[in-house]
């Protein structure tokens, strides 16, 4: 192990002597900084900062400082000493819409400061930023968002520091990048002017057009709620007098749907407008609650005595709808023989159940035929 270390040190020493023929890098940089004032910005005619962004995020700034120009030696010097870096003027760039920011420090601070012979300075750092983005959630989860990254000088006005992107393709994004829950549809950059009470500043903006993916919400929200609605329809096949079973089924499905809806709301910021997911859950709630109300009416009809009722005269019940068993019902004494007569309104209760078996699925199907095309087309339109 000791031999390996000594050999490595020897190789490094030889490499250092070969790459620094005009003296050590530190000595040359110190000579450049003898009369350097970090509080004085470079000459105005070359006063610009060029930034190059990736989603990683690497922030690269370039400017020219004639005081750092030199002759001879290497084409450029990389300054790794933090104390030397502090002595060189740097633009006071800040992110206007940042919430949390951190500089990567593993294994060393990810900062690069390189000075070229003509005085050009490259200042690069790797950052992790959490930026604010104003969300429009009316179409959630079929929404598309546009998020921005704004940066400018914090204290130096536009006549001191003028920002500009290095090129039209200054924003570099890996083609294989995957964003959780979103598809990156487009991105771009622009220069801008920031006007505040403290002055007029030069700034830059990068914008990202995102479209939300629907797969997660279909699996976690839409399919479970569809199954809950389907389960609530099982009560239509139970006898109108099977109160324990039908009540348990109706209440259980309603509570399950309520719990699922609460989980969806917790994942979203509280907003005052109706979202697409609210429309869906609201209609599912209505379907489940209506099935519970249908049982209440059917159970009431099945147990209400038919006394002096003119309902059979007003509403004729076909045999297939009333579900007669054991032949036609016998009328009470003094009543004419007519379809629908019985001891109670049980045949009307059965007819209501049989109608519900068709009406509820048809209404839910019509709602789906309107809901899905409407919101999917809107999402494609805004994205």
């Amino acid at each position: 192990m000791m031999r390996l270390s000594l050999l490595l040190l020897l190789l490094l020493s030889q490499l250092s002597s070969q790459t620094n023929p005009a003296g050590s890098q530190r000595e040359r940089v110190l000579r450049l900084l003898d009369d350097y004032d970090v509080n004085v910005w470079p000459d105005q005619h070359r006063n610009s900062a060029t930034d190059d962004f990736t989603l990683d995020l690497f922030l690269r700034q370039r400017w020219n400082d004639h005081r750092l120009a030199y002759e001879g030696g290497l084409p450029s010097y990389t300054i790794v000493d933090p104390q030397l870096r502090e002595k060189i003027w740097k633009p006071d760039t800040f992110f206007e819409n940042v919430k949390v920011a951190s500089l990567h420090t593993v294994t060393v601070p990810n900062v690069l400061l390189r000075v070229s012979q003509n005085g050009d300075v490259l200042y690069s750092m790797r950052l992790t930023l959490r930026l604010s983005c104003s969300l429009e959630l009316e179409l959630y989860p079929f929404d598309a968002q546009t998020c921005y990254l704004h940066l400018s000088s914090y204290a130096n006005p536009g006549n001191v520091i003028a920002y500009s992107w290095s090129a039209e393709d200054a924003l570099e994004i890996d083609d294989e990048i995957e964003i959780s829950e979103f598809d990156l549809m487009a991105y771009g950059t622009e220069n801008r002017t920031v006007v505040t009470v403290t002055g007029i500043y030069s700034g830059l903006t990068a914008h990202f057009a995102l479209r939300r993916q629907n797969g997660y919400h279909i699996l976690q929200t839409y399919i479970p709620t569809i199954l809950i609605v389907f389960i609530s329809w099982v009560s239509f096949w139970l006898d109108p007098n099977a109160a324990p079973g039908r009540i348990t089924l109706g209440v259980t499905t309603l509570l399950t749907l309520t719990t699922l809806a609460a989980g969806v709301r917790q994942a979203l910021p509280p907003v005052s407008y109706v979202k697409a997911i609210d429309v869906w859950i609201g209609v599912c709630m209505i379907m489940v609650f209506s099935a519970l109300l249908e049982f209440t009416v059917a159970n009431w009809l099945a147990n209400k005595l038919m006394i002096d009722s003119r309902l059979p005269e007003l509403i004729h019940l076909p045999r297939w709808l009333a579900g007669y068993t054991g032949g036609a019902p016998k009328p009470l004494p003094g009543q004419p023989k007519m379809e629908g007569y019985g001891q109670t309104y049980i045949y009307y209760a059965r007819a209501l159940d049989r109608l519900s078996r068709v009406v509820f699925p048809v209404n839910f199907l019509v709602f789906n035929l309107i809901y899905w095309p409407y919101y999917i087309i809107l999402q494609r339109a805004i994205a």
Side-chain angles (χ1 to χ4, degrees), residues 139-144 179-183 210-224 276-277 371-372 375-380 383:
L139 301 180
Y140 179 89
F142 302 97
D143 56 322
I179 305 175
S180 176
E181 204 176 335
F182 284 96
D183 292 323
L210 306 172
R211 186 173 68 189
R212 194 181 302 272
Q213 300 172 354
N214 308 130
Y216 172 82
H217 300 281
I218 290 175
L219 293 176
Q220 299 296 324
T221 303
Y222 286 96
I223 291 180
I277 193 70
Y371 180 89
W372 292 99
Y375 283 108
I376 290 177
I377 291 174
L378 280 182
Q379 184 188 38
R380 296 296 188 271

Side-chain angles (χ1 to χ4, degrees), residues 359-376:
V359 172
F360 276 71
V362 168
N363 286 338
F364 194 60
L365 176 62
V366 171
F367 167 70
N368 277 267
L369 293 177
I370 297 174
Y371 180 89
W372 292 99
Y374 175 77
Y375 283 108
I376 290 177

Side-chain angles (χ1 to χ4, degrees), residues 312-324:
E313 301 176 6
L314 300 175
I315 302 177
H316 174 70
L317 282 181
R319 287 178 174 270
W320 64 269
L321 186 60
Y324 296 129

Side-chain angles (χ1 to χ4, degrees), residues 340-357:
Y341 273 109
Q343 297 292 333
T344 63
Y345 292 90
I346 183 62
Y347 298 111
Y348 289 93
R350 292 174 180 172
L352 180 60
D353 278 345
R354 293 197 173 195
L355 283 174
S356 298
R357 297 174 191 175

Side-chain angles (χ1 to χ4, degrees), residues 11 24 33 58 72 81 90 103 149 184 193 197 200-201 214 216 234 253 272 373-374 380:
L11 290 174
S24 70
L33 297 178
F58 291 91
D81 188 341
K90 293 177 287 293
L103 173 68
L149 185 150
L184 180 62
T193 301
V197 294
I200 301 176
Y201 302 90
N214 308 130
Y216 172 82
V234 174
T253 52
S272 59
Y374 175 77
R380 296 296 188 271

Side-chain angles (χ1 to χ4, degrees), residues 12 74 85 99 106 109 121 125 134 143 151 175 211 219 229 234 239 247 261 267 290 298 325 353 358 361 378 381:
L12 289 176
L74 297 176
R85 286 202 301 261
K99 290 184 177 180
V106 178
V121 181
M125 62 183 67
S134 179
D143 56 322
L151 65 85
D175 294 335
R211 186 173 68 189
L219 293 176
V229 172
V234 174
D239 189 84
I247 290 177
S290 298
T325 58
D353 278 345
V358 177
L378 280 182

